[in-house]
Amino acid sequence: MLISSLNSAAFADTLILLVAPDSANRQATKQQGDVVRIYDAINKQTLGYNIFHISQYLPDLTGNGQVFLTEAQVAQLNQLLTATSFAAELVADLSPKFVIGYVKELVAHPDSDHLSVTQVEVDHGATLQIVCGAPNVAQGQKVIVAKIGAMMPNGQIIWPGALRGVTSDGMICAARELALPHAPKRHGILVMPAATAAGTPFNFEQAAAVVAAQNAAE
């Protein structure tokens, strides 16, 4: 897994890389040149890297928030890690993190009166189990799924998890969670038109148009 982000306001010219969730153990850091490795102090597992002066190494990299690195860019970063005596352990992740999902199955959570356990088909025919608390989620819907490795607009990262003992590998999103314009404040996921193809990458303009049409219909 490789999650990459830029935040010019808080960390100027710094690329933040995450390769594993935060550890429950104490974290440690080691800096060599412009590279800081963050790792678990007990088992030594790498959690991420901070790359300072990233514009010197990836001059074409732009954006704010989550950014997606090409295989060539990851190869350049691995060369930098090697040059600074770290392991070349970064692996490119080119799969889309926000996709249209199809809710194939839905059952009540065994330990909750408001959660549902869904089986959601996403890209490449994969099916994710996602626990959802939205009151309007239903079998047969087309929805927007934030997969493992997605960074939400508020900076939250989607990691593998569990809700009340049931595994949940992603999130079915509401319009406000995606920071879509004119998103309704009421609790509930954004349901996409039935004709929307499951597995396709999330399209911001398309989703914003759906929100606008739903608002107009109310």
Side-chain angles (χ1 to χ4, degrees), residues 36-115:
V36 176
R37 175 177 176 251
I38 302 97
Y39 60 96
D40 185 301
I42 304 300
N43 62 27
K44 310 304 180 185
Q45 178 191 14
T46 299
L47 303 175
Y49 290 92
N50 292 339
I51 313 292
F52 301 133
H53 305 113
I54 188 60
S55 60
Q56 296 181 16
Y57 306 104
L58 298 179
D60 297 330
L61 185 64
T62 60
N64 192 51
Q66 187 169 20
V67 294
F68 296 93
L69 303 176
T70 66
E71 290 183 329
Q73 289 171 326
V74 172
Q76 287 178 274
L77 292 177
N78 275 326
Q79 290 178 2
L80 175 60
L81 294 183
T82 301
T84 50
S85 302
F86 292 116
E89 60 181 321
L90 303 179
V91 178
D93 185 353
L94 305 180
S95 65
K97 300 306 175 194
F98 293 90
V99 300
I100 302 299
Y102 171 67
V103 183
K104 296 166 57 176
E105 299 178 17
L106 181 147
V107 297
H109 191 292
D111 190 33
S112 171
D113 60 1
H114 71 281
L115 296 175

